[in-house]
């Protein structure tokens, strides 16, 4: 999630994981039919990730799609739940 929203002090580039084709939880959340309902948009997202583009405009567009469809919020909620459950265990 941090990688898609950015790091402080420039330790990593925003969207660096996408640039190397990593499939992270936000990507999985976005690719679900509950999030990206349009098959052509899902295909565009998948093809862009597979291309391992370093085009900052393309990466930012993907991140905007993830934000718009709720994948980022779902990811944060899921991560928070995992941390809270770990503290209770």
């Amino acid at each position: 999630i941090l990688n898609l929203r950015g790091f402080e002090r420039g330790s990593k580039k925003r969207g660096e994981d996408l640039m190397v084709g990593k499939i992270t939880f936000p990507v999985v959340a976005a690719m679900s039919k509950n999030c990206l309902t349009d098959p052509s948009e899902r295909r565009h997202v998948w093809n862009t990730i597979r291309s391992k583009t370093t085009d900052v405009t393309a990466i930012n567009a993907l991140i905007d799609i993830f934000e718009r469809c709720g994948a980022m919020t779902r990811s944060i909620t899921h991560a928070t739940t995992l941390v809270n459950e770990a503290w209770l265990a």
Side-chain angles (χ1 to χ4, degrees), residues 2-7 10-19 54 56 59 63:
L2 279 175
N3 187 268
L4 299 181
R5 292 223 168 131
F7 290 87
S11 61
K12 287 181 92 177
K13 293 181 192 174
R14 180 177 189 244
E16 189 174 284
D17 286 348
L18 297 175
M19 291 178 187
T54 58
V56 175
I59 295 300
I63 295 168

Side-chain angles (χ1 to χ4, degrees), residues 8-87:
E8 292 182 20
R9 295 181 228 84
S11 61
K12 287 181 92 177
K13 293 181 192 174
R14 180 177 189 244
E16 189 174 284
D17 286 348
L18 297 175
M19 291 178 187
V20 296
K22 285 186 183 177
I23 307 303
T24 59
F25 192 85
V27 172
V28 173
M31 295 300 287
S32 77
K33 291 180 181 178
N34 295 331
C35 195
L36 292 178
T37 57
D38 180 4
S40 65
E41 190 169 38
R42 278 199 316 274
R43 198 169 22 261
H44 166 73
V45 167
W46 183 245
N47 289 337
T48 303
I49 292 168
R50 283 185 46 210
S51 75
K52 299 180 181 178
T53 184
T54 58
D55 179 349
V56 175
T57 301
I59 295 300
N60 286 336
L62 286 185
I63 295 168
D64 290 344
I65 290 169
F66 296 167
E67 291 281 4
R68 186 186 77 237
C69 80
M72 300 298 284
T73 300
R74 284 180 60 200
S75 298
I76 291 167
T77 300
H78 182 68
T80 301
T81 299
L82 289 175
V83 169
N84 288 339
E85 288 174 357
W87 279 109

